[in-house]
Amino acid sequence: MIEVEVKAKLSNKTERKVKNKFNFKKEIKQTDYYFNHPNRDFKKTDEALRIRKTNTDTYLTYKGSKLDEKSKSREEYEIKVSDFEETKKILTKLSFRKPKEVKKTRQVYEKDSTKIYIDNVKGLGKFIEVEKIANETEYKNKLHKCIKLIKDLGIDENNLEKRSYLELLEN
């Protein structure tokens, strides 16, 4: 599975457009704990391994290297896990390095097969993410649709943010 995702800093004007054009689904609190591999630096390989805690659930996610220069699109594998602390212990026992934390409140909007996230990230402010799920043959087409949508919301394609929230917080 490929997560096709474009992201940008959010203006008040764009936020109003999203709220007027898309269906609000829910608001969730998320804390992401990013781990680094003991033998290779995920920062250099552009990969990510995280545990995400939400209001009600916990997920373990691996993200591969980004696929293009404009977006954050990448291969992604995610499983729901029953116990955050036990999952964290397993990764620590396997020598994964101490996790770094990203906290955010996420508003989820949806229309057709597109998800729009308005993220308020602690220490960074508000961002918008436009996301579609694709397989390898659909990837380019869905990326084009995500970029078109973000342009329609008033965001210049040159202002897309390819860095993760963790990368932004570290800089």
Side-chain angles (χ1 to χ4, degrees), residues 6-22:
V6 292
K7 175 170 75 178
K9 195 79 170 141
L10 181 66
S11 69
N12 291 336
K13 183 178 178 182
T14 301
E15 185 173 1
R16 283 191 299 276
K17 285 182 182 180
V18 169
K19 290 180 177 184
N20 288 331
K21 294 181 179 186
F22 291 86

Side-chain angles (χ1 to χ4, degrees), residues 10-115:
L10 181 66
S11 69
N12 291 336
K13 183 178 178 182
T14 301
E15 185 173 1
R16 283 191 299 276
K17 285 182 182 180
V18 169
K19 290 180 177 184
N20 288 331
K21 294 181 179 186
F22 291 86
N23 303 315
F24 176 77
K25 293 296 180 183
K26 60 186 170 183
E27 181 174 286
I28 357 174
K29 298 227 183 272
Q30 296 179 332
T31 304
D32 294 339
Y33 300 87
Y34 287 89
F35 290 80
N36 205 351
H37 194 279
N39 297 320
R40 69 179 191 252
D41 186 352
F42 283 164
K43 197 174 199 173
K44 290 179 182 173
T45 62
D46 198 24
E47 296 169 280
L49 179 68
R50 74 161 185 239
I51 303 173
R52 171 173 283 168
K53 284 180 72 170
T54 70
N55 305 5
T56 57
D57 298 309
T58 302
Y59 299 90
L60 178 65
T61 307
Y62 166 79
K63 293 183 176 226
S65 300
K66 294 179 189 95
L67 298 173
D68 62 72
E69 293 300 315
K70 291 184 179 183
S71 73
K72 292 183 68 257
S73 301
R74 53 173 74 193
E75 200 171 22
E76 180 178 302
Y77 302 95
E78 184 170 77
I79 57 170
K80 187 174 180 178
V81 294
S82 61
D83 190 312
F84 167 77
E85 288 301 328
E86 289 299 309
T87 305
K88 186 176 169 186
K89 282 179 191 174
I90 290 169
L91 293 175
T92 303
K93 290 285 184 188
L94 291 171
S95 299
F96 279 82
R97 291 191 223 119
K98 185 177 179 183
K100 297 187 178 184
E101 189 177 284
V102 176
K103 290 185 172 199
K104 67 180 173 264
T105 302
R106 170 170 276 184
Q107 293 178 350
V108 180
Y109 294 82
E110 208 171 322
K111 188 173 187 181
D112 304 322
S113 63
T114 304
K115 288 191 178 182

Side-chain angles (χ1 to χ4, degrees), residues 134-147:
N135 60 38
E136 288 180 23
T137 58
E138 302 169 318
Y139 160 66
K140 292 281 187 189
N141 183 41
K142 290 197 176 184
L143 175 60
H144 175 74
K145 287 180 179 180
C146 286
I147 291 172

Side-chain angles (χ1 to χ4, degrees), residues 114-130:
T114 304
K115 288 191 178 182
I116 307 280
Y117 302 118
I118 294 179
D119 290 338
N120 191 354
V121 184
K122 185 177 179 182
L124 293 177
K126 286 188 172 183
F127 287 81
I128 181 172
E129 291 186 4
V130 176

